[in-house]
Amino acid sequence: MTEITDLAALRRAMAENAERPEGPARNARAEQLLSAAEGLNVPLAVIEALGHQLSVYNYSSEKDKMFVPFARLLRLWDERPGDFDAYETHSLHWVFKWMSAGMLDQPHIPLASIEKWLGEMEHRYRLAGHSERAVRGAEFSVAAHIGDLARAERAYAAWLAADRDEMADCHACELYGQGLWQVERGRDAAALTAWRPVLEGEFSCAHEPHSVLAASLVPLLRLGRTEEARAHHLRGLRLVRPMESMRTAYAEHVEFCALTGNEARGLELLAERPAYFTDTGHPRSRLDFLAVVTLLTGRLTELGLGGERVPGPGGRAWTARDLAAHARTEALALAERFDARNGTPYVGDRTRARMAGRPLVNRLPLGVRAPRAVPAAPAVAAPPPAPAAETSLPDLVAEARRLADTLRPEAMDAWAAVARAAGDDGLAPADRASAVDHEAMSRGPEGAELFERAAELYAAAGDPGEALAARARGAYFRALRGEPDAALARVTGLAEEVRALYAAEATGVRQTASVLMSRARILMHRARTGAGPVADANAAVREVPALIEGHGTRGEGEVRLTARVAESWGMLAELAGAAGDGAGAADLLRRASATYVRAGLPWCAVEYEVQAAALAEEAGDREEAERALRAALEHGGPYVEPAGEVQLHLRIADLTAARGDVAAAAEHALRATHRADEAGESGTSGAWARQRLGGYLLRQGRCAEAAEVLESALADLRAGTHGDEAVVQARWWLGDCLEELGEHRAAAEQRLLAADIARHWPEQRDHATLAHLAADSLGSAGLVAEADRAYARAGELWRSLGDTRLLVRSLRARAWLALREDSGTAAAEGLMAEAVDVCERARESAADSRARADLTRELAQTERQFGDLLAQAGGAGAAARFERAITLFGSLGVAGLHDRTAAELTAAGLAAELGRPEEAAARAHAVLAAYENADETDETVRSRRAEATRMLTRAE
């Protein structure tokens, strides 16, 4: 560690420490620096070191330590105010506000002492000539904290009425406090209106919009603005995570999870901050945290998860129930300390109300991985429970028949319940036949033999047609089991029998259609596998609707018959598609879907709409594809399997994004993540959905949200499961987000990880692009040597790909990096010269005029940057490079006009600096001449003219 020998060294060390993360390590370093300052025998050094120490304490969990350095500072001021320079004088008065809030947050400091301090603050501000604004703001905080609402309203009005001066808090912090008061008074909408300038980025500071984003969560939920609440959670949590001093804001994010059905995510947040349970330096924020922990763990206990392990204070294992009791006890004891100090029950009442909070949303999808703390409802209705004593067997049978006649998916479970209730001898033959029939269907191919038992029971019940239908179903399942020839022989005989029965009016159309449908299914199966002719399948399928539509009466079995017709159209669509008739197949699929919907069986239409969507996409009809997929989603309702619903949402998302509605695409991707999590598929289809959602959020410029989602996706994305491309794309997008957020080092890491995967791909353009982007991030992070290596790597890749323009750009970037090195001038000039040479040679051999024009522009940009570099390096030759750039841009005509005038003005500025006013004036005149007849509404034209005019004035 560098020794502190003078005030300059001390200031450098304090600046470095100020950039370190909040926490005990930074505080300890501040204490060391104060000791070093005391050894310099310079009064101002001690003053500055005390101010630094006070600041780092204030922005940490050790806020209770800041009173000692402040008391010492105040004593120094009272004894020797001349030792304070203007900045430290301002700082001393500024931190009076910190002391006021800090005393309020420590319940051991008497209220009388706080009131006395307010008077001291007012006195000193008046002597220094400051406005009352900060004083009245401090008074408002005291009154609001103890629940003196009348005084708080008066102080609030006086705070806003007083003039803003240099002692007033920044706009962002003031608006945060004003919004909190609106929430306290039950005015959520007014609070959000007050916070809007902070949320929209008009005002910000070191802790804003962090605090406002957190504080807005519950008001937004109460107002039903859940989309904004979700966005604020993802964006705000990312801001407060690295800041130790923001325990209250962090607690509000945990509270949000507890109130939105995201209890599991709330536990993850608790696990990230174990010190928040025990840090005692700021009791008020600890109270906030403990109250929210009580809310969350109480919610888990209420859901029947009280015995689950949860993160808590170190030293022991915690269950949700135990932690709820512990946190409640701690929170109420701390609230009691505040109330005893304040002489009111206000803090305790608010704490109890917060701990008793009720969910505001049953389950709010967040986009990040957030498994549900309790099992979600299944996609299909659960099997009926064992019959209660009061439910009669006839009622169970009637319900099972109703479900079976309307083809409800729950029918199999209903008949199983009947069988359980009836035992071996409690059913009539017809009812036992139906129960066995449905059991056979539930077993799939393994139930083929059981259909024979059902047939015997149907025959015994006097229903020979239904017996034939059961045997035909058994034959179909044998075909699926790998016995197509035997199945066909069997069903052919059954079809002849049922036709004879039907002709003799010994069975109905429903039973006959059932046998014929089984025959059609077997022939379709043989056609698919190449074991039978398509023509036979086609004829068999058409026989079914011909029979049913020839049956001119409506009545018994209508739903079943309509379903047979719909299935027939679906089979004919499959045959049409196989024959290459895409349009005919699509028409038949729509017909099948519409028939199912008309019959009251919309869930059966799902597969046909999905197939119709695929055909539409093949035909390039995205609008029809989107319509079909949306219809599938709507028709499926609760009967769509989770994996299927996820895929439907993702396919719709792709289509809506392709037509430019990225917000709608993001909504569908979000629903897909939610459905995947609910179904326990977070690591598979959920990761896919999150990857897509992150990309859509990035396209909307919602980088903080996108980063949270993509980081969550990458925790589950695996090359073996999802493919290299998905992993690379997620890291690429995440790198873009982080770069936009100013997290350059992290952005570089993601881009390098993606590049490392892409380097194994046959096509190397992605590898080159990622290496180049990583170099950009490394340079922005100040990692010059690492950036140079990455640009060199990208440059070699661009060279191998024959991409001269990007090779030249990598060389230029390396030149600027070299200039940042103390001894890098020669290297910088060499790299820029190489860029010029590479571009010159490629331009001379350009295959066509367009390629030559592109390379001319790149060469002109390179010459201009060469001139900039030489000017900054103080070397000769800059003017010649600018002149060459101007000539090259000029050769491009109108397309190069703005670039040419920009270069001309840069050259004019250089001439003026070198004491050549005539040259500067000539170049300024050239710019004005270039725009003599230009469009006056063009912003670039106006800007260039104004700059040229200023240059002329300066030259004269």
Side-chain angles (χ1 to χ4, degrees), residues 25 383 906:
T906 303

Side-chain angles (χ1 to χ4, degrees), residues 34 52 359 584 738 799:
L34 176 58
H52 174 66
L738 295 170
R799 196 187 302 275

Side-chain angles (χ1 to χ4, degrees), residues 281-346:
H282 190 234
R284 194 170 178 184
S285 68
R286 184 165 182 259
L287 174 58
D288 290 333
F289 185 75
L290 290 170
V292 165
V293 171
T294 304
L295 169 67
L296 175 63
T297 50
R299 173 70 180 148
L300 290 169
T301 303
E302 182 181 324
L303 292 170
L305 300 171
E308 294 294 311
R309 290 283 299 274
V310 296
R316 60 164 286 186
W318 293 92
T319 66
R321 185 180 297 106
D322 292 342
L323 184 58
H326 169 79
R328 175 179 292 277
T329 299
E330 292 280 304
L332 290 176
L334 196 48
E336 176 59 30
R337 289 178 60 200
F338 277 105
D339 284 345
R341 189 271 306 271
N342 299 339
T344 70
Y346 194 69

Side-chain angles (χ1 to χ4, degrees), residues 63 66-67 97-106 109 282:
K63 290 178 183 284
M66 67 181 179
F67 300 108
K97 298 178 294 181
W98 295 358
M99 295 304 105
S100 175
M103 291 178 180
L104 202 60
D105 296 338
Q106 304 290 334
I109 299 179
H282 190 234

Side-chain angles (χ1 to χ4, degrees), residues 127-299:
L127 287 178
H130 297 310
S131 163
E132 280 194 344
R133 191 175 184 94
V135 177
R136 299 284 77 81
E139 180 189 4
F140 160 74
S141 298
V142 172
H145 171 67
I146 66 176
D148 186 346
L149 303 184
R151 182 187 179 192
E153 287 284 16
R154 292 193 301 272
Y156 182 84
W159 170 31
L160 269 60
D163 292 337
R164 279 188 56 83
D165 67 350
E166 60 181 4
M167 283 299 115
D169 280 340
C170 75
H171 279 288
C173 288
E174 284 205 333
L175 290 174
Y176 169 63
Q178 291 163 23
L180 286 182
W181 182 239
Q182 299 304 320
V183 172
E184 180 67 19
R185 305 301 286 152
R187 300 187 285 259
D188 290 339
L192 290 161
T193 299
W195 287 331
R196 185 181 299 125
V198 181
L199 295 171
E200 293 179 354
E202 183 180 348
F203 302 122
S204 63
C205 68
H207 281 185
E208 295 299 347
H210 316 40
S211 296
V212 165
L213 286 166
S216 71
L217 295 172
V218 172
L220 284 169
L221 292 175
R222 284 197 292 252
L223 291 170
R225 293 160 61 174
T226 54
E227 298 293 324
E228 293 172 75
R230 173 176 48 246
H232 287 196
H233 171 63
L234 294 178
R235 179 182 163 202
L237 185 61
R238 189 169 194 85
L239 292 173
V240 303
R241 261 202 183 107
M243 303 183 75
E244 185 200 43
S245 64
M246 301 207 72
R247 181 161 51 183
T248 289
Y250 197 86
E252 287 167 327
H253 285 281
V254 177
E255 180 180 33
F256 167 83
C257 294
L259 298 177
T260 58
N262 288 287
E263 297 87 359
R265 178 166 171 83
L267 293 177
E268 291 173 359
L269 298 187
L270 295 188
E272 289 181 21
R273 286 292 191 179
Y276 276 175
F277 286 97
T278 53
D279 285 344
T280 58
H282 190 234
R284 194 170 178 184
S285 68
R286 184 165 182 259
L287 174 58
D288 290 333
F289 185 75
L290 290 170
V292 165
V293 171
T294 304
L295 169 67
L296 175 63
T297 50
R299 173 70 180 148

Side-chain angles (χ1 to χ4, degrees), residues 811 815 818 824-837 866 869:
L811 289 166
T825 301
E829 291 184 22
L831 287 163
M832 199 66 83
E834 183 183 353
V836 169
D837 181 60
F866 204 166
L869 185 145

Side-chain angles (χ1 to χ4, degrees), residues 588-932:
L588 284 164
L589 288 169
R590 285 192 289 269
R591 189 173 180 182
S593 175
T595 304
Y596 271 128
V597 172
R598 208 164 43 246
L601 305 170
W603 55 89
C604 296
V606 172
E607 64 174 292
Y608 299 117
E609 293 289 5
V610 170
Q611 293 173 30
L615 288 173
E617 285 192 82
E618 287 178 16
D621 189 348
R622 290 178 173 173
E623 183 177 348
E624 168 59 18
E626 185 178 341
R627 180 214 62 77
L629 291 171
R630 288 182 182 277
L633 199 58
E634 178 184 352
H635 294 331
Y639 298 108
V640 177
E641 289 295 321
E645 187 177 341
V646 170
Q647 291 306 312
L648 285 173
H649 278 301
L650 290 179
R651 288 179 65 184
I652 295 171
D654 286 344
L655 290 167
T656 52
R659 61 176 168 81
D661 191 349
V662 184
E667 180 59 31
H668 280 284
L670 176 66
R671 292 181 191 175
T673 68
H674 173 61
R675 197 69 188 96
D677 287 343
E678 294 281 291
E681 298 181 6
S682 295
T684 51
S685 57
W688 270 115
R690 270 180 270 284
Q691 190 246 28
R692 304 274 266 283
L693 174 59
Y696 296 139
L697 291 170
L698 173 61
R699 285 176 61 179
Q700 294 177 78
R702 297 160 66 177
C703 294
E705 297 167 62
E708 284 288 306
V709 170
L710 290 167
E711 286 172 348
S712 182
L714 282 165
D716 291 312
L717 283 173
R718 298 289 181 270
T721 304
H722 305 93
D724 280 350
E725 294 82 357
V727 178
V728 167
Q729 185 62 80
R731 293 200 182 281
W732 193 327
W733 282 334
L734 179 55
D736 290 348
C737 293
L738 295 170
E739 187 68 20
E740 188 66 27
L741 294 169
E743 300 176 37
H744 305 299
R745 188 185 292 260
E749 179 183 1
Q750 293 300 324
R751 289 168 167 177
L752 288 171
L753 287 169
D756 194 52
I757 299 173
R759 69 188 176 92
H760 299 292
W761 294 352
E763 210 293 314
Q764 288 289 284
R765 180 162 290 275
D766 284 342
H767 180 200
T769 303
L770 285 162
H772 201 126
L773 290 170
D776 291 343
S777 296
L778 289 165
S780 297
L783 301 172
V784 175
E786 293 86 343
D788 182 69
R789 286 195 294 271
Y791 278 126
R793 176 185 178 188
E796 289 307 311
L797 289 166
W798 293 132
R799 196 187 302 275
S800 68
L801 290 167
D803 195 322
T804 300
R805 293 172 64 245
L806 291 172
L807 168 59
V808 166
R809 291 178 186 183
S810 70
L811 289 166
R812 291 198 313 240
R814 292 183 66 197
W816 285 110
L817 287 173
L819 191 64
R820 289 163 66 175
E821 299 291 287
D822 292 340
S823 58
T825 301
E829 291 184 22
L831 287 163
M832 199 66 83
E834 183 183 353
V836 169
D837 181 60
V838 167
C839 203
E840 282 273 23
R841 284 188 281 109
R843 177 170 171 261
E844 290 169 2
S845 58
D848 53 56
S849 58
R850 180 173 181 177
R852 182 177 175 82
D854 288 343
L855 288 166
T856 296
R857 180 181 296 279
E858 203 64 45
L859 179 59
Q861 293 286 6
T862 305
E863 290 284 10
R864 179 185 169 176
Q865 288 197 32
F866 204 166
D868 288 334
L869 185 145
L870 291 170
Q872 288 191 33
R881 295 294 177 181
F882 284 132
E883 189 59 46
R884 180 86 197 287
I886 291 165
T887 300
L888 288 165
F889 281 131
S891 71
L892 296 172
V894 175
L897 176 60
H898 291 331
D899 287 322
R900 176 171 73 83
T901 56
E904 193 87 68
L905 287 167
T906 303
L910 177 63
E913 289 178 11
L914 295 175
R916 299 198 294 267
E918 296 85 358
E919 179 186 342
R923 293 191 181 282
H925 279 299
V927 172
L928 292 172
Y931 291 125
E932 187 173 356

